[in-house]
Each structure stands twice: as structure tokens, then as C-alpha cells.
Amino acid sequence: MIVIHSPQQALHAPEHEFFRGERVPCFETPARAEFVLRELTARGHALQLPTADSRPLLAKVHEARYLSFIESAWDQWLAADPANAAVQPFPSVWPIRTLRSDEEPVNFIARLGLYSFDNGTPISAGMWQAAKAGADAAATAARLIAAGTRHVFCATRPPGHHAGADFMGGYCFLNNAAVAVEALRAHGCARVAVLDVDFHHGNGTQAIFYDRADVLVVSIHGDPRTEYPFYSGHADETGAGPGLGFNLNLPLPRGTEADAWFAAFDAAAATLARYGAEALVVSLGLDTFAGDPISGFRLQSDDYLRLGAELARLGLPAVLILEGGYATAELGVNAANVIDGVDNG
Ligand code: SP5
Ligand code: ZN
């Protein structure tokens, strides 16, 4: 399979995040992509650099003031105090119910809170370059699909599916899956579907397409009653307005093993088939793995070969995009198993 990757991913390397109130080393690291590339290369897959500029697609997916903020967020942080170069900013205040989000505060941390839904998404000096390279990869992959390639994998980070039109969260800044959808549509695919198999609900992707009938979003994830991102991902979220009926959530309990997980996959596949999609975007999170340090499903490495084969069986041209997966040393094998499963399926 063609694999799109940019070394710019390594420019986003924040040091800390918060975990149970303590500062801990980041789970979402450049090493994740390095393990994936090493394994894919060892198995003979060809790497390509992104060649498309995602800028016009980002303008469709995200709000202008949010893009302006994250593009220069690190420079704004330094402008507040040059000593900030050695310190990671985190939001500490958020405009929830009754507070105003229409006015951008002058204070940087207040602006960061305005555009974040958690304090678990550290920004870094190279965040924009890394995230933009990921969005460019998604646009490049869609162009290859439009030109007749059957499957393309974006081995990119940071991930994207928690990022909404005007917010970051869950390690995500730019919604790469939504960029791929808009790119496929720009290339003439009228009906596109997203299948999100990350352990965490892809709240950003859901929100971006929630009121649209031209993009079906299907997600299999940990039940939000107990799992991050908590405030999104319930089964009764089925779309709004013209999009009613074009969003399917399949929440599963913590501890779910392969058989129950693949039963949910069958339900997702049936909905995808009914919809009659022309192309598919897969948000390929691998934090469903039993060894994942922050997630709660129980898939084993061999199950990812089966996932790949099931994806191939959907019979759709597909852009696959790396999302989560934090068992770093095993991530390469797990990702490559999906890719080989697709190729051999
Ligand atoms: C793309 C993606 O996978 N983002 C996930 C972000 C999750 N961040 C919050 C994690 C909170 C984990 N709580 C874990 C309890 C473990 N026992
Ligand atoms: Zn995840």
C-alpha cells in the first residue's frame, strides 16, 4: 500500500501532559510514527511525501479564527514572555455554558481555553508544521484515490479526530479525516463515509459533519459514560437537520474483546453498505489494543490483520489515517497488520 508520511511530524514533540492530576511524559510522541514507519518499511511498503496543499480544505473544515490561532499559537506564547520558550502552555479556564466565546481574549491562556475542550492537548514549537503536514498527507491520499489508487495510508501524527471546526482536544489540532472527506468531495465523490475505529469517540469528526447528509459518520468506541471524551459518542446521537440518520455511534463497554468488537464492526459495515458510499475515510486508531496504556478494549495484534481484511471486504476505495494508539513499541506491528490485512484481503 502507498504510505504518506512527512518527517515534519517529529517537529511536534511536547514533553508533558496531565494524567490523574500529575504531569507525566506525553503518550502521543514522534516515536509512535517512527515505529509505524520502521515496520511498514521492513514489510516493503513504499513511502511518499505529501504533495498536496491542504490549505483550501482546512478553510472548509475549520473556522478562520481557530486556524489563525493554532497556526501562530507558539509565537503568541513566546510574544507573551520570551521565557515561555522553556515552558508548555496549558489552558486553565474554559468558556462553558453562559460564558462568552464570541470575543477572543487578549490573554494567551484564556485564548487557549477558548479553543480547547481539555487540558490534555499540549502545544509545542512545531505543532503547526507537524499538524499541517498531516493534513497535507490526507489531501494527498485523497488525490491518489481520485486517480484510481484503491487504498492509501497516512502514517501521520498528531492525530485529528477530536479536533472540531473551532476546537482542539485529545492530542488533535487539525481534523485530517475531515480534510480527506472534503478532498474526496472536491475530486468528485458525492457520497463519502467516515469509519472511526479509534478507542475514543471521534467527537470532532462527528461535530463537523453532524448536520450533513452527504457525509455518513460511523464510529465504534468506548462508552462515553465511562470513557474519554465523555460528553460525546452516545448511541442516541444520530445527526441533526438534513444530517439526521447520517451519524451512527456504536459505544462498547470497557474490556470489550475481539468477538464483540467485530460484531459492532459488522453493524457498522451494514450501515455503510446501505448508505452506498463511493469512498471511505478510516480513522485508524490502534488504541483498541489490549496493551494500550490509556484505553480499555482488548484486541490482540493478530486481530488487526482481521480488521484489515474486513476493511478490504467493504469494497470501497479508502484513505486510512492514523489516529490514536499508545502502546508505542507494538504500534508498528499493529498498524502494519491492518495495512497487510487490507492488501491481502
Ligand atoms: C487521538 C486519541 O486517541 N486521543 C486520546 C486522548 C485521550 N486523552 C485523555 C486520556 C484520559 C485517560 N484516562 C485513562 C485512565 C486509564 N486507566
Ligand atoms: Zn484514541
Side-chain angles (χ1 to χ4, degrees):
M1 192 181 302
I2 295 174
V3 177
I4 316 290
H5 165 74
S6 167
Q8 293 209 65
Q9 69 85 9
L11 298 175
H12 180 52
E15 284 181 45
H16 307 110
E17 65 179 85
F18 286 99
F19 188 73
R20 297 185 179 137
E22 304 285 342
R23 248 171 34 148
V24 300
C26 287
F27 290 97
E28 202 290 292
T29 61
R32 297 176 59 243
E34 285 154 19
F35 274 94
V36 171
L37 290 180
R38 199 168 310 149
E39 187 66 22
L40 287 169
T41 306
R43 298 195 197 181
H45 297 280
L47 304 187
Q48 291 186 17
L49 292 170
T51 51
D53 178 5
S54 60
R55 181 72 72 166
L57 303 160
L58 288 170
K60 284 184 200 254
V61 167
H62 294 287
E63 283 193 9
R65 70 173 194 166
Y66 172 67
L67 289 174
S68 312
F69 174 72
I70 62 166
E71 180 164 8
S72 63
W74 190 261
D75 292 338
Q76 297 170 51
W77 175 234
L78 295 188
D81 182 346
N84 282 344
V87 190
Q88 268 178 231
F90 285 96
S92 57
V93 58
W94 292 268
I96 65 154
R97 294 165 295 282
T98 76
L99 299 180
R100 285 183 64 173
S101 51
D102 58 323
E103 286 284 343
E104 259 198 338
V106 172
N107 178 280
F108 177 81
I109 295 298
R111 235 170 21 258
L112 186 57
L114 173 61
Y115 294 119
S116 304
F117 72 85
D118 68 6
N119 78 335
T121 310
I123 67 171
S124 71
M127 173 271 281
W128 170 260
Q129 284 160 286
K132 173 66 163 49
D136 288 350
T140 304
R143 194 165 66 190
L144 287 164
I145 295 294
T149 307
R150 204 61 191 156
H151 303 108
V152 181
F153 178 48
C154 299
T156 47
R157 61 165 291 281
H161 74 150
H162 294 299
D166 67 349
F167 58 83
M168 66 181 79
Y171 313 139
C172 302
F173 303 93
L174 296 175
N175 196 306
N176 303 316
V179 166
V181 167
E182 292 295 357
L184 287 164
R185 289 181 46 75
H187 287 298
C189 289
R191 288 168 85 77
V192 181
V194 177
L195 175 59
D196 189 324
V197 298
D198 188 279
F199 173 76
H200 305 98
H201 178 241
N203 61 294
T205 311
Q206 169 172 301
I208 288 166
F209 298 118
Y210 204 61
D211 60 1
R212 285 173 55 171
D214 55 348
V215 183
L216 170 70
V217 176
V218 178
S219 178
I220 306 168
H221 51 264
D223 189 327
R225 289 180 297 176
T226 55
E227 308 308 320
Y228 181 95
F230 305 113
Y231 311 113
S232 184
H234 295 275
D236 66 354
E237 296 158 23
T238 55
L244 190 62
F246 296 94
N247 192 85
L248 174 65
N249 283 331
L250 298 164
L252 297 171
R254 197 170 185 81
T256 291
E257 306 208 7
D259 283 353
W261 194 91
F262 280 104
F265 186 97
D266 287 346
T271 297
L272 290 167
R274 267 199 308 277
Y275 178 68
E278 295 166 58
L280 181 68
V281 175
V282 180
S283 270
L284 183 60
L286 295 152
D287 40 14
T288 48
F289 179 54
D292 196 274
I294 65 168
S295 308
F297 288 168
R298 296 258 172 275
L299 271 62
Q300 307 293 333
S301 290
D302 283 352
D303 293 323
Y304 294 106
L305 286 163
R306 178 173 170 195
L307 172 55
E310 297 278 0
L311 289 170
R313 217 188 320 267
L314 296 173
L316 293 168
V319 174
L320 294 85
I321 301 176
L322 183 64
E323 300 280 3
Y326 308 101
T328 306
E330 293 93 341
L331 186 63
V333 165
N334 293 345
N337 278 0
V338 176
I339 300 316
D340 284 342
V342 172
D343 280 351
N344 302 327

